[in-house]
Amino acid sequence: MAGGMVIVFDFDRTMIEGDSDNWVVTEMGLTEIFHQLRFTLPWNRLMDRMMTELHSQGRSIQDIEACLKRIMPIDSHIVEAIKSAKSLGCDLKIVSDANQFFIEKILEQHDLLDCFSDIYTNPTSVDEHGKLRILPYHGAASTPPHTCNLCPPNLCKGLVMDHIRASSSPDDQILTRFIYLGDGGGDFCPTLKLRECDCVMPRMNYPLWKRISDNPSLIKADVKEWSNAEELRRILMQLVSTMTKEDS
C-alpha cells in the first residue's frame, strides 16, 4: 500500500496533451471573437464570455459536452499510471486552472473521474437560461480572493496546496508525501510549497520546468522531469514504488 502519498496532477498539457479551453474555442468556431477579446479580460472571465457567445448562437450544454468528447484521448500510459497509483492506495487530486465542467466530462469519457478524491478548479454552473457559467476559484462566494503575486487572480494553486495539507491531521501533515505533476507557470507556486520529502515532476521545456531551472535554490523537493506520457508513467510509478519502500 502507498498510504500517506498524495499525487497532485495539473490537467491541461499534463494529463491531457492539449488545452481544453483552446480546444473548445477552436472546435466551436470562437477563434475570431476570442482573439478580439483576448487582452481585454482575464482568462477566466474570457472563457465565461465565450460560453455566453456560444449560448447566444443557440449552442447547448450538450453541444459543448460533445465537443469535449472529441478531444484527443488521454494517452494510455497516463490512464495506466492513474489507475495503477489509485490501486496502490495513493490519494489522487487535480489542481487546475481549467474548469469543473471541462475536466469532469473529459475524465468521464475515460472512466477516470472516480480515481480522484478532489478536483480543485474554477467552478461551473448552468444558469436559468441553460448557459454554462465559468466562475473563478478564488473570489467566488465560498473562497475569498488571494494576494499571491505568482498566480492569476482567479486561482492560487499554492493556497490550494496549503489547504490540502491542512485538511489532514497534524500527524498526517508530517508523514504525508506529495508528488506534484505540472507544466505551466501557475504550477511554480505550489512547487514552492513542497518539502524535501516530496517530489515535483515538471514537463521538460515547459514554463514550470524553466522556472525551476532558473531558480533551483528555491526548490526543496526532488525534481524528476518528463517529456511524454510514457516517461510520465515510468517515472511516476518508480517514485511511488521507491517512496512506498522508504515509508514501510
Side-chain angles (χ1 to χ4, degrees):
M1 292 291 288
M5 195 178 306
V6 178
I7 303 176
V8 180
F9 288 84
D10 176 38
F11 190 71
D12 294 318
R13 292 176 298 275
T14 297
M15 191 178 301
I16 65 172
E17 182 60 30
D19 181 286
S20 55
D21 287 345
N22 288 335
W23 173 266
V24 170
V25 166
T26 302
E27 292 294 308
M28 301 199 77
L30 297 171
T31 302
E32 183 176 351
I33 188 170
F34 179 87
H35 286 297
Q36 287 174 2
L37 299 174
R38 173 66 184 92
F39 297 106
T40 67
L41 293 169
W43 186 277
N44 181 250
R45 287 174 56 195
L46 178 59
M47 286 306 300
D48 183 58
R49 175 67 178 79
M50 293 301 98
M51 298 304 102
T52 298
E53 180 65 22
L54 287 177
H55 187 261
S56 71
Q57 295 176 7
R59 312 294 287 274
S60 68
I61 295 291
Q62 290 72 29
D63 293 331
I64 301 171
E65 184 173 351
C67 175
L68 291 166
K69 288 182 177 178
R70 296 194 302 271
I71 200 167
M72 182 182 296
I74 299 176
D75 189 282
S76 60
H77 293 98
I78 294 179
V79 173
E80 180 186 344
I82 290 169
K83 291 185 174 180
S84 296
K86 177 69 173 177
S87 70
L88 289 168
C90 298
D91 183 8
L92 275 56
K93 302 179 187 293
I94 292 172
V95 180
S96 168
D97 200 8
N99 68 76
Q100 177 188 357
F101 185 85
F102 289 11
I103 292 173
E104 289 183 355
K105 294 305 175 185
I106 293 170
L107 292 179
E108 286 173 359
Q109 176 80 355
H110 294 83
D111 195 28
L112 292 175
L113 185 57
D114 290 343
C115 291
F116 295 91
S117 61
D118 294 292
I119 299 175
Y120 298 92
T121 188
N122 300 299
T124 53
S125 63
V126 179
D127 69 14
E128 65 273 18
H129 305 293
K131 178 174 66 178
L132 181 66
R133 298 298 312 276
I134 300 174
L135 306 172
Y137 179 85
H138 290 292
S142 59
T143 312
H146 73 82
T147 57
C148 175
N149 60 11
L150 293 174
C151 296
N154 61 289
L155 175 63
C156 173
K157 293 185 177 183
L159 283 179
V160 174
M161 287 293 289
D162 287 341
H163 167 77
I164 293 171
R165 203 182 293 276
S167 63
S168 58
S169 69
D171 286 345
D172 285 342
Q173 289 180 35
I174 296 171
L175 297 173
T176 299
R177 303 176 72 176
F178 284 80
I179 301 173
Y180 189 99
L181 299 93
D183 70 281
D187 295 309
F188 187 65
C189 182
T191 295
L192 297 177
K193 304 287 186 177
L194 299 174
R195 304 170 302 177
E196 291 86 350
C197 61
D198 301 323
C199 184
V200 59
M201 291 180 56
R203 189 169 189 178
M204 283 184 66
N205 299 317
Y206 280 71
L208 174 61
W209 178 84
K210 187 175 189 310
R211 294 286 291 276
I212 291 173
S213 300
D214 290 345
N215 300 277
S217 63
L218 299 180
I219 311 302
K220 297 177 182 177
D222 193 15
V223 180
K224 299 290 185 182
E225 57 196 27
W226 60 280
S227 60
N228 56 51
E230 190 281 327
E231 286 186 0
L232 183 154
R233 182 200 62 79
R234 176 174 51 81
I235 294 168
L236 180 60
M237 298 320 298
Q238 285 175 349
L239 283 171
V240 170
S241 176
T242 300
M243 288 182 172
T244 303
K245 290 175 183 175
E246 290 174 354
D247 291 342
S248 62

